[in-house]
């Protein structure tokens, strides 16, 4: 994502300088260099303003020859170069003044998962959170010095502060960061609301199952469709980073695909979700339909697959081909042993009495 953001910045800058007649017709590489140079000049650097920077370039650029640059290049170690790049890779200021409220000034005061954390995470947000948890929560209090304990108390205070913010407006910190990068859209905000609605619905449904209360199929179906809000936010963010208008056909196709992926994940995690009292579509259907749950769920899967194939045919042929190829690769990576290129649906044995199932596992331990 970080590389994509940098590429987008260069492309936007290139478009801007082209509109000012600054580009050259000699080569694309020359224009790319001019774009990166412009980006460098607009980055904050201490007390220097843009006029100071232009004056410095005018005065000293003639003194920087190719021989000096060659010597500098040979003297810089790779490690030193990379550290210098990291230190100077400051966000651009596009003159955007956010009016996002008091939380904007509290970013340094509370722990949060924001855009920067997402960009720097090696693979997924789960990796980032696991690493953060190991560093801040799993320290042994018996080995702490007085100063370390003070730091731990302060850390817990900040975690508590963040928890309060999270409860009242869980996506506010992330919204503020996206807005500061001129990336937040109304549609993303709507998806964040879907996330809040999903969490509330998840709590409601799981509380009902735990207490042997009735639930509705409407709530269960609504929940599994809301569940993929995070994927939709990332898709919308990708369009913003690329500076493109959202393709509604793509979003429709991805919505159907997300539903099928969520169902497949729930079937795989069924037993674990029962034990941990998590939302799971099969678990919900078992409470509503009993032993007929697989038949009803199969009907929803069939309808979704029919729509999936219908929208897939409407996609650009090249895109459709690449997507299907990637699906086959992903299925192989997941250890598909069915012989079918996309795998087959497998519904696990039903747990009709969850309380008995949980107690029997505890007895065996």
């Amino acid at each position: 994502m970080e590389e994509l953001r940098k590429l987008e910045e260069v492309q936007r800058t290139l478009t801007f300088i082209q509109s000012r007649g600054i580009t050259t017709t000699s080569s694309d590489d020359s224009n790319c260099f001019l774009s990166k140079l412009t980006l460098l000049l607009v980055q904050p650097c201490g007390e220097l303003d843009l006029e100071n920077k232009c004056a410095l370039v005018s005065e000293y650029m003639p003194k920087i020859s190719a021989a000096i640059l060659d010597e500098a290049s040979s003297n810089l170690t790779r490690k030193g170069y990379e550290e210098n790049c990291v230190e100077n890779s400051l966000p651009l200021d596009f003159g955007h003044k956010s009016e996002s409220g008091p939380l904007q000034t509290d970013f340094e005061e509370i722990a949060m998962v924001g855009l920067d954390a997402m960009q720097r995470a090696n693979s997924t947000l789960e990796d980032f959170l696991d690493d953060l948890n190991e560093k801040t929560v799993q320290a042994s209090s018996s080995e702490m010095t007085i100063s370390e304990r003070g730091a731990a108390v302060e850390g817990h205070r900040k975690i508590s502060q963040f928890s309060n913010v999270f409860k009242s407006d869980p996506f506010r910190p992330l919204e503020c960061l996206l807005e500061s990068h001129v990336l937040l859209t109304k549609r993303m905000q709507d998806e964040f609301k879907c996330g809040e609605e999903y969490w509330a619905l998840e709590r409601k449904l799981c509380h009902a199952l735990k207490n042997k209360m009735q639930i509705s199929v409407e709530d269960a179906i609504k929940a599994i469709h809301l569940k993929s809000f995070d994927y939709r936010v990332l898709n919308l963010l990708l369009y913003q980073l690329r500076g493109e208008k959202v393709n509604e056909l793509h979003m429709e196709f991805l919505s159907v695909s997300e539903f099928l992926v969520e169902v497949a994940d729930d079937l795989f995690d069924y037993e674990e979700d029962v034990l941990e009292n998590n939302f799971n579509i099969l678990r919900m259907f078992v409470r509503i339909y009993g032993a007929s749950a697989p038949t009803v769920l199969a009907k929803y899967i069939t309808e979704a697959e029919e729509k999936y194939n219908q929208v897939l045919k409407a996609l650009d042929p090249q895109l459709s081909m690449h997507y299907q190829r990637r699906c086959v690769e992903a299925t192989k990576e997941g250890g598909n042993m069915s012989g079918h290129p996309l795998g087959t649906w497998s519904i696990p044995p039903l747990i009709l009495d969850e309380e008995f199932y949980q107690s029997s596992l505890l007895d065996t331990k």
Side-chain angles (χ1 to χ4, degrees):
M1 182 177 288
E2 177 66 16
E3 291 301 317
L4 182 62
R5 185 185 66 80
K6 290 179 180 178
L7 181 62
E8 176 63 21
E9 285 181 348
V10 172
Q11 183 59 44
R12 286 182 180 177
T13 307
L14 178 58
T15 302
F16 172 75
I17 64 176
Q18 280 177 337
S19 69
R20 297 298 188 271
I22 301 176
T23 52
T24 175
T25 57
S26 60
S27 70
D28 290 337
D29 289 341
S30 298
N31 289 327
C32 182
F33 172 76
L34 290 173
S35 297
K36 291 180 178 179
L37 178 61
T38 303
L39 281 171
L40 175 64
L41 291 174
V42 299
Q43 286 183 5
C45 186
E47 299 297 323
L48 291 178
D49 58 21
L50 295 178
E51 289 186 3
N52 295 143
K53 293 176 184 178
C54 289
L56 285 170
V57 170
S58 299
E59 182 178 355
Y60 289 98
M61 188 58 71
K63 300 178 182 180
I64 303 177
S65 64
I68 291 179
L69 291 175
D70 185 59
E71 182 181 355
S73 177
S74 61
N75 287 336
L76 283 173
T77 64
R78 183 64 187 167
K79 181 179 179 182
Y81 172 76
E82 289 177 347
E83 288 176 350
N84 186 58
C85 285
V86 171
E87 290 172 0
N88 290 286
S89 134
L90 299 175
L92 298 182
D93 182 1
F94 293 101
H96 177 76
K97 302 297 182 182
S98 173
E99 298 179 357
S100 47
L103 271 176
Q104 177 122 8
T105 60
D106 295 337
F107 288 158
E108 299 298 328
E109 294 295 322
I110 57 177
M112 66 182 70
V113 178
L115 180 62
D116 186 54
M118 292 168 66
Q119 291 171 337
R120 288 180 295 155
N122 288 331
S123 55
T124 64
L125 283 176
E126 183 178 356
D127 297 332
F128 172 74
L129 291 171
D130 285 345
D131 183 60
L132 180 64
N133 185 59
E134 289 172 2
K135 290 179 180 178
T136 60
V137 178
Q138 295 180 352
S140 171
S141 59
S142 62
E143 299 176 358
M144 286 183 179
T145 64
I146 294 176
S147 61
E148 286 173 335
R149 285 177 180 169
V153 171
E154 177 64 13
H156 285 299
R157 183 190 70 78
K158 290 182 177 180
I159 291 173
S160 177
Q161 180 184 0
F162 174 65
S163 297
N164 292 333
V165 174
F166 186 83
K167 289 176 182 177
S168 60
D169 197 350
F171 293 106
R172 184 64 170 169
L174 183 53
E175 285 183 346
C176 289
L177 274 179
L178 288 171
E179 189 173 18
S180 71
H181 285 260
V182 201
L183 292 171
L184 185 65
T185 66
K186 174 64 166 56
R187 194 158 175 178
M188 287 184 196
Q189 291 176 309
D190 290 340
E191 289 299 339
F192 287 142
K193 291 177 182 177
C194 287
E196 293 185 61
E197 187 178 0
Y198 167 70
W199 288 332
L201 200 51
E202 178 186 37
R203 290 191 295 270
K204 171 187 172 182
L205 290 168
C206 293
H207 174 77
L209 262 65
K210 190 72 175 177
N211 292 278
K212 298 182 179 180
M213 299 163 59
Q214 294 298 314
I215 61 173
S216 71
V217 66
E218 290 79 14
D219 280 349
I221 293 299
K222 185 176 184 179
I224 197 166
H225 281 291
L226 290 171
K227 191 177 180 181
S228 298
F229 77 93
D230 50 349
Y231 286 106
R232 290 189 287 273
V233 169
L234 291 174
N235 288 331
L236 293 170
L237 179 58
L238 185 59
Y239 280 110
Q240 280 294 96
L241 289 169
R242 292 170 60 89
E244 295 180 1
K245 182 180 178 181
V246 176
N247 188 308
E248 296 302 336
L249 179 61
H250 292 175
M251 295 299 287
E252 180 184 5
F253 174 75
L254 289 170
S255 176
V256 183
S257 176
E258 289 157 9
F259 171 77
L260 292 171
V261 169
E262 294 290 2
V263 172
D265 286 347
D266 279 5
L267 294 179
F268 184 82
D269 297 331
Y270 176 56
E271 293 88 352
E272 182 179 343
D273 286 339
V274 169
L275 290 174
E276 298 182 359
N277 192 32
N278 294 330
F279 172 83
N280 183 293
I281 191 63
L282 178 58
R283 185 179 175 223
M284 301 297 133
F285 274 27
V286 168
R287 172 55 58 90
I288 299 168
Y289 300 108
S292 301
T295 303
V296 181
L297 183 58
K299 177 177 176 290
Y300 280 94
I301 293 173
T302 300
E303 291 175 353
E305 286 186 326
E306 289 174 355
K307 186 174 182 181
Y308 175 92
N309 291 323
Q310 177 185 347
V311 184
L312 181 64
K313 293 175 182 177
L315 296 178
D316 176 80
Q318 193 76 4
L319 177 62
S320 176
M321 181 185 69
H322 286 308
Y323 183 86
Q324 292 178 81
R325 182 192 303 161
R326 178 59 195 136
C327 285
V328 172
E329 292 172 355
T331 305
K332 288 181 179 178
E333 292 166 3
N336 174 37
M337 304 295 290
S338 68
H340 190 282
L342 293 179
T344 56
W345 291 98
S346 177
I347 296 181
L350 303 184
I351 302 172
L352 298 174
D353 189 335
E354 291 189 356
E355 189 174 341
F356 175 77
Y357 177 78
Q358 292 165 348
S359 61
S360 62
L361 283 183
L362 288 175
D363 290 342
T364 58
K365 293 180 180 181

